[in-house]
Amino acid sequence: MTAAIAALCTTMALAGCGGTGGAAEVTLQLVAADYGTNSENSSSKYWKALAAEFESNNPGIKIDVDVRPWKTIDADVAERVANGDAPDIAQIGSYSQYAKAGKLYNADQLLSVPSQANFLSQLSEAGKVNRVQYGMPFVASTRLLFYNKDLFEQAGLTDAPKNWDDIKEDAQALKEQGVTTPIAIPLGSEEAQGETLMWLLAGGGGYTDTADGSYNIDSQQNIDTFDWLRKDLVGEGLTGPVAPGKLDRATAFKAFTSGEVGMLNGHPSLMQDASKSGIKVGMVALPGAKGKAKSSMGVSDWMMAFKENNHRREIGRFLDYVYEDTNVLNFAGLYDLLPVTYSASEEMTADDNHADLRKFLEALPTSELLPYGKNSWSTVSDSIKKNIGQAVEPGGSASSVLGRIARDAATAEAAE
């Protein structure tokens, strides 16, 4: 029986086995991103409630919650790390730079076997550096092509586009009906790297070579994709009054919920905002040039644990609790995001209350994620944000712009 209890202690998340007992209290510092849009739905409420529940079951461990806005959190954590004041746990957008600097615990050192094995496989793989998992996925999402059903109906359109010819023809029909922005292509600095990957995948390309994972940014497929966007959409006046390189995602989303945009690529939380605004939404996978695209884009945000304060056991216990199904589903449900574990995904799929997320859930297992595991990715992402909009400007050259980004990627890789 003693052996059985000892075995259970290695896999259970809650206190009661090998707890801190009379040891000095440990306070874990958690820095997490805010997914809310106002004080009423701030993520701070979720984390503080979760921390209180955990603390009540784990005497001797306290959780200090610090929720930061997405615009600053990556820089905030980087500054703390540089100053020798790393938090115990950070829930942010990227992990690889800290893993390669030797500052993180790996998942094997933290999580119980059931918790770690429950992550969706492609998310676990995306969390690895040199085949070791340091980034633990926290929430995920995929992207679909959203369209305004009322605007489509007014333009005499009865079906969602099935290929790129359809996208162009539908956008032209919307323009003829006076729609301000028939199709929005936000390539501004906010999330140009995401919008770009969506179109590259639809065109049969992507950022990396599927065989060896090396960058393949200026491939002919990618060049052809952006030549088409420049010539057939932007050049035909179908992308609205703001140049794609100047258009941020948040601005495009707001215009969609205001009824000014016919089509755009969107993530799950846009459904809720559109519904509140009375917009009837249709959603399909962004089609490829001749039909179905090879895959959709997936996105994950990451949990990581820093070694600096030597709180490995306490961090592991808390993270096992974070990844219990109830907690995973509660957070995902709050913000119309997708759970990152098999068991929670299956439960959400079966729940009719989340029926509107099923298309996104179906797309996740075969989606392609941004190259999070590359330490060079932050540099490459910055280059995409600064340059990609020029590829679709009048007189622009996709070959030249993608070549410039590819050279930046090569330089960043060489500096590894």
Side-chain angles (χ1 to χ4, degrees):
M1 184 175 292
T2 300
I5 292 173
L8 281 171
C9 289
T10 66
T11 59
M12 294 302 291
L14 301 180
C17 297
T20 56
E25 182 176 281
V26 168
T27 297
L28 299 179
Q29 299 176 46
L30 166 68
V31 178
D34 194 351
Y35 291 77
T37 56
N38 53 58
S39 59
E40 293 301 314
N41 67 354
S42 170
S43 301
S44 181
K45 290 185 175 182
Y46 170 86
W47 284 114
K48 288 180 178 178
L50 188 73
E53 293 169 3
F54 175 81
E55 290 168 357
S56 69
N57 289 295
N58 291 268
I61 305 177
K62 297 293 183 182
I63 310 297
D64 178 19
V65 174
D66 181 7
V67 171
R68 303 288 184 96
W70 266 116
K71 284 188 176 182
T72 66
I73 190 169
D74 287 329
D76 293 343
V77 171
E79 182 178 3
R80 288 190 58 170
V81 173
N83 292 335
D85 181 34
D88 295 287
I89 306 167
Q91 185 268 298
I92 54 179
S94 62
Y95 65 87
S96 60
Q97 66 271 38
Y98 303 121
K100 291 191 175 182
K103 295 183 179 296
L104 301 180
Y105 292 115
N106 64 55
D108 287 340
Q109 295 171 308
L110 298 166
L111 297 174
S112 67
V113 172
S115 292
Q116 191 175 357
N118 200 22
F119 289 133
L120 295 172
S121 59
Q122 86 274 30
L123 299 181
S124 289
E125 287 299 314
K128 292 180 178 180
V129 174
N130 296 327
R131 301 182 181 180
V132 177
Q133 185 179 0
Y134 294 94
M136 292 158 282
F138 178 61
V139 286
S141 67
T142 50
R143 302 292 192 263
L144 296 175
L145 181 67
F146 283 57
Y147 61 96
N148 184 314
K149 286 186 172 181
D150 286 338
L151 294 181
F152 263 53
E153 183 178 346
Q154 292 166 18
L157 303 172
T158 58
D159 295 316
K162 296 180 175 61
N163 54 48
W164 287 4
D165 285 342
D166 288 349
I167 288 176
K168 180 179 179 180
E169 291 171 6
D170 291 352
Q172 288 172 330
L174 291 164
K175 182 181 179 181
E176 291 171 3
Q177 287 297 310
V179 175
T180 304
T181 303
I183 180 167
I185 305 177
L187 295 174
S189 61
E190 183 185 356
E191 207 202 18
Q193 77 283 8
E195 182 73 16
T196 297
L197 182 56
M198 291 178 231
W199 285 104
L200 295 185
L201 292 172
Y207 286 136
T208 57
D209 189 297
T210 55
D212 60 10
S214 61
Y215 284 117
N216 195 27
I217 292 170
D218 59 346
S219 69
Q220 189 59 52
Q221 289 170 313
N222 292 346
I223 291 169
D224 290 346
T225 292
F226 268 80
D227 278 341
W228 182 82
L229 290 174
R230 176 181 54 80
K231 178 176 177 290
D232 287 69
L233 295 186
V234 180
E236 294 293 326
L238 303 176
T239 55
V242 180
K246 303 293 184 183
L247 181 63
D248 282 340
R249 182 185 66 178
T251 303
F253 280 14
K254 185 175 181 180
F256 183 80
T257 60
S258 299
E260 300 170 9
V261 173
M263 296 178 280
L264 86 171
N265 292 312
H267 55 57
S269 61
L270 180 58
M271 292 187 303
Q272 188 178 90
D273 293 337
S275 177
K276 289 178 181 178
S277 300
I279 303 296
K280 295 179 181 178
V281 175
M283 297 177 294
V284 294
L286 179 63
K290 301 299 181 182
K292 185 177 180 181
K294 72 171 187 177
S295 66
S296 60
M297 186 186 79
V299 176
S300 179
D301 299 325
W302 301 97
M303 188 77 76
M304 64 213 69
F306 289 88
K307 297 177 179 178
E308 191 167 301
N309 298 317
N310 298 311
H311 291 155
R312 179 179 65 83
R313 291 182 180 179
E314 293 84 1
I315 293 170
R317 185 174 297 173
F318 179 62
L319 290 179
D320 273 333
Y321 185 65
V322 167
Y323 286 109
E324 288 186 3
D325 281 355
T326 298
N327 298 326
V328 171
L329 286 165
N330 281 346
F331 191 90
L334 280 173
Y335 301 107
D336 279 335
L337 293 167
L338 307 182
V340 296
T341 64
Y342 284 106
S343 55
S345 294
E346 290 169 0
E347 187 170 339
M348 179 176 275
T349 300
D351 187 348
D352 288 340
N353 290 323
H354 296 295
D356 54 357
L357 288 173
R358 284 175 183 154
K359 287 186 177 181
F360 294 95
L361 285 162
E362 290 167 1
L364 184 58
T366 58
S367 64
E368 184 169 321
L369 279 72
L370 297 165
Y372 296 108
K374 287 181 170 290
N375 196 36
S376 58
W377 172 240
S378 60
T379 300
V380 177
S381 178
D382 285 342
S383 180
I384 294 167
K385 291 177 182 180
K386 292 175 183 176
N387 296 306
I388 196 63
Q390 299 170 36
V392 296
E393 290 178 352
S397 167
S399 177
S400 175
V401 172
L402 290 171
R404 184 186 317 152
I405 297 169
R407 289 191 295 274
D408 289 343
T411 300
E413 283 285 276
E416 288 293 295

